Amino acid sequence: MLRTVVCVSGGGTNLQAILDAVKSGQVTNTEIIAVISNNAGAYALTRAEENGIPGMLLSPKDYPDRESYHAAFMKKMRELSPDLIVLAGFLVRIPKEMTTEFEGKIINIHPSLIPSFCGVGYYGLKVHEAVLARGVKITGATVHFVDAGMDEGPIIAQKAVRVEEDDTPEILQRRVMEEAEWILLPQAIDDIANNRLTVQNGYVRKG
Ligand code: GAR
């Protein structure tokens, strides 16, 4: 069993997609052992509770500085000692230390086709606003392993999604979630849980 921790900040629709996929058997060999949120108001915590999964709040607001927040985050991760950490709409930077200590064990979902519309300042709705402002015709989502960089690390999977002329950021966000994110993320977890992925020189191979 792949003991998996999911980190969230908001609505948690990606978390829900993972939980549904585990329940339906689309994702196998996987146990969601905890959900960690940086945001007390995150609906994702309610989703965790409804599914009988321990939800934990670790907010930077409860610590005097980043250093002590990061120390608490690392302590919690070491206690949980997961096989996989999924950043499913986790909008806070994780401690650098975590990327070395859990190297190859952290994945992230990003709502664009990396390397477009990613990096500092590109998160959540802001990504879709930037996509519409630039006028690109195709966007999408990316699942990747997390390294010390921002939205960097070996790419596991990507899926393209069309941009329509009268899209608002909210409409586009929803289409990217439905057509790409909620499919890619559970699939990536299932691939990892069933040892289908290998990473060599920064490239992910499946099979
Ligand atoms: C998702 O669109 C996810 O790709 C994005 O935040 C949203 C969270 O939605 N993540 C990032 O922008 C990370 N850079 P959710 O809480 O409903 O899953």
Side-chain angles (χ1 to χ4, degrees):
M1 279 286 190
L2 191 80
R3 297 174 64 261
T4 301
V5 169
V6 184
C7 298
V8 295
S9 296
T13 63
N14 278 286
L15 168 67
Q16 191 67 57
I18 297 166
L19 294 171
D20 292 347
V22 170
K23 219 175 270 176
S24 73
Q26 188 198 332
V27 167
T28 58
N29 292 330
T30 301
E31 184 192 0
I32 310 301
I33 59 167
V35 170
I36 295 180
S37 173
N38 64 299
N39 170 13
Y43 186 64
L45 284 173
T46 308
R47 295 184 197 267
E49 198 185 329
E50 281 170 0
N51 285 271
I53 293 161
M56 296 158 197
L57 175 66
L58 265 175
S59 167
K61 289 181 190 152
D62 297 331
Y63 297 86
D65 50 35
R66 275 287 144 168
E67 208 183 330
S68 50
Y69 173 60
H70 281 173
F73 205 90
M74 287 307 298
K75 185 169 178 283
K76 180 50 73 188
M77 278 304 174
R78 286 182 188 124
E79 272 167 30
L80 291 166
S81 186
D83 302 314
L84 181 69
I85 299 163
V86 180
L87 308 182
F90 190 59
L91 306 183
V92 172
R93 280 207 86 162
I94 59 168
K96 276 253 154 61
E97 225 182 323
M98 201 164 112
T99 59
T100 46
E101 212 169 303
F102 291 89
E103 198 188 347
K105 294 182 175 180
I106 312 172
I107 64 171
N108 179 47
I109 178 94
H110 184 76
S112 76
L113 293 173
I114 288 175
S116 290
F117 305 105
C118 65
V120 178
Y122 289 104
Y123 56 88
L125 214 51
K126 288 185 190 295
V127 175
H128 306 292
E129 284 165 2
V131 161
L132 293 177
R134 185 62 185 88
V136 298
K137 306 301 181 199
I138 299 286
T139 184
T142 304
V143 186
H144 63 95
F145 284 106
V146 174
D147 63 12
M150 180 92 174
D151 296 331
E152 293 174 14
I155 290 173
I156 299 170
Q158 294 187 298
K159 195 164 186 289
V161 175
R162 74 199 180 282
V163 180
E164 302 287 1
E165 279 178 10
D166 47 6
D167 274 347
T168 62
E170 290 80 7
I171 290 172
L172 183 57
Q173 179 181 53
R174 184 75 190 182
R175 189 180 311 118
V176 169
M177 284 174 160
E178 279 176 4
E179 294 184 11
E181 296 186 45
W182 301 341
I183 299 163
L184 290 183
L185 192 54
Q187 178 68 61
I189 295 169
D190 189 56
D191 285 341
I192 292 167
N194 292 287
N195 297 315
R196 284 185 213 107
L197 303 184
T198 51
V199 187
Q200 237 174 17
N201 301 326
Y203 295 96
V204 180
R205 298 182 72 97
K206 182 171 165 174

